[in-house]
Amino acid sequence: MSTSVRLEDLLRELAPQVLGVLLRRYGGFEECEDAVQEALLAAATQWPADGIPENPRSWLVTVAARRLVDQVRSEQSRRRREVTAAVRQTPDTDLAPPPGDESAGDQDDTLALFFLCCLPVLTPASQVALTLRAVGGLSTAEVARAFLVPEATMAPRISRAKQRIRAAGAPFAMPSAQEWAERLDAVLHVLYLIFNEGYTASSGPDLHRAELTTEAIRLTRMLHRFLPDDGEVVGLLALMLLTDARSAARTGRDGALIPLAEQDRNRWDAAMLEEGTALVTAAMSASPLGPYQIQAAIAALHVQAARAEDTDWEQICILYGILRRIAPNPMVTLNYAVAVAMTRGPRAGLELLETLDSDSRIAGHHRLYAVRAHLQELTGDRAAALANYRLAARRTTSIPEQRYLRDRAGKLDR
């Protein structure tokens, strides 16, 4: 791993912790986030030349806090003048913990920040989008791709969410017992999307971003400790474990994508599979059925098969049918179409895909073209499959996916 990548991972890990320190001390979500972003930029500029400081988190807290005070004192805009009175009254010498006292910096506020961003005053979509951008470490473009909307649509949505949080004067604190239920669904969705972006990166040279999947699993474990009996928390953790267990087998030595059916199953992480299977089995026997439990059960069926041809597609098809009823979205329908194709034939799957052509959220998405190409290839329609593989390759911004899709097209062309 290059030095620049290690630095990027470190800054992504520290960003929510530094934001949590500033929010506890000074309040003002938008102002604190701006100060943290400036501190991260300073670190990205200075650390490669000067070296990473002995306590990088304390360094970032100090720089961000001073940026915050500078913003207030300069009165550059009305927004910056509205930082809380505590900032105006705090001398610069008190901005960072004294040497040897890093208690504030050591506190991991990431999960608390998730709940803070998921305020009920925001719409569910805005809750998730803001949290992914401000705390989850995803760019605006990555958040937009997760929501299947253009980046130009997502950026104003995130900005409006920040403004509403500021107007609401939200305190930085874990929610009360009554507030957990109001915000839990959004927090689970955030963790799910962060994991998905890590497991299959939507852009760039790498298929897998381990820093995101690892963090999503860590935070979901933390949430599970808070809510050990919540079936959907357990289901999400199980889904992550059962999915991430396959990571080592998903790419070849050259980084090329290896589809599930062609993976060496001996390379899957047996301990993660065992833990994930036990979790989902316990959750489904003791809790009301929810979408994360269903997805975990589908993942369990995939990994329980000794060979790809042994996969219980009938059960998977049934589970996707249930998932479509309780949590409908175009990606679920897309996966359901694959299961239908495996049980009733590829033409039945293609018919189901036609229902997605009028859905603006996915009509131009590369995965719709890729699945259609795969099913057309199974029917023997090589010309149509070739055209759709090429379309899919042009649509995706993930380099490993581009290479895989072009390779499939090349094989058909030959």
Side-chain angles (χ1 to χ4, degrees), residues 28-258:
F29 182 88
E30 190 172 3
E31 293 83 357
C32 288
E33 193 206 7
D34 286 345
V36 171
Q37 290 302 318
E38 290 190 35
L40 294 173
L41 179 60
T45 303
Q46 296 178 33
W47 291 1
D50 301 341
I52 296 176
E54 184 177 349
N55 192 324
R57 179 164 43 192
S58 179
W59 190 99
L60 288 168
V61 169
T62 300
V63 172
R66 286 176 177 159
R67 292 287 195 278
L68 193 57
V69 170
D70 288 344
Q71 290 170 7
V72 176
R73 288 175 175 168
S74 65
E75 297 186 349
Q76 292 177 351
S77 68
R78 178 181 177 183
R79 176 178 60 81
R80 289 176 174 174
R81 290 197 302 270
E82 292 174 352
V83 183
T84 60
V87 179
R88 295 194 294 270
Q89 297 168 1
T90 302
D92 288 355
T93 54
D94 292 335
L95 292 176
D101 179 13
E102 302 301 331
S103 57
D106 287 340
Q107 182 169 336
D108 188 342
D109 295 303
T110 307
L111 198 56
L113 284 168
F114 279 18
F115 278 91
L116 172 67
C117 291
C118 294
L119 279 173
V121 297
L122 302 176
T123 65
S126 293
Q127 290 173 345
V128 173
L130 173 64
T131 311
L132 287 170
R133 180 67 190 94
V135 190
L138 271 61
S139 68
T140 302
E142 289 165 346
V143 176
R145 285 191 285 270
F147 276 82
L148 305 177
V149 299
E151 184 176 355
T153 300
M154 182 53 64
R157 182 183 298 177
I158 293 172
S159 179
R160 288 192 299 269
K162 291 179 183 178
Q163 292 167 9
R164 292 200 69 180
I165 281 191
R166 183 178 60 182
F172 178 67
M174 289 295 281
S176 65
Q178 182 178 353
E179 292 170 325
W180 275 96
E182 295 176 338
R183 307 185 192 187
L184 182 58
D185 286 348
V187 170
L188 290 176
H189 195 188
V190 168
L191 292 167
Y192 174 74
L193 292 178
I194 291 174
F195 179 86
N196 285 350
E197 177 61 29
Y199 191 70
T200 305
S202 59
S203 64
D206 300 315
L207 182 67
H208 186 217
R209 294 174 62 184
E211 77 281 2
L212 292 182
T213 54
T214 299
E215 180 68 354
I217 291 173
R218 183 185 75 85
L219 292 171
T220 307
R221 285 192 186 280
M222 188 185 301
L223 189 57
H224 181 221
R225 288 197 295 271
F226 284 125
L227 298 170
D229 298 323
D230 188 288
E232 280 296 82
V233 174
V234 178
L236 180 58
L237 179 56
L239 173 62
M240 290 178 178
L241 294 172
L242 291 166
T243 305
D244 203 46
R246 307 196 303 260
S247 294
R250 295 179 68 225
T251 54
R253 292 180 179 178
D254 58 353
L257 185 156
I258 302 175

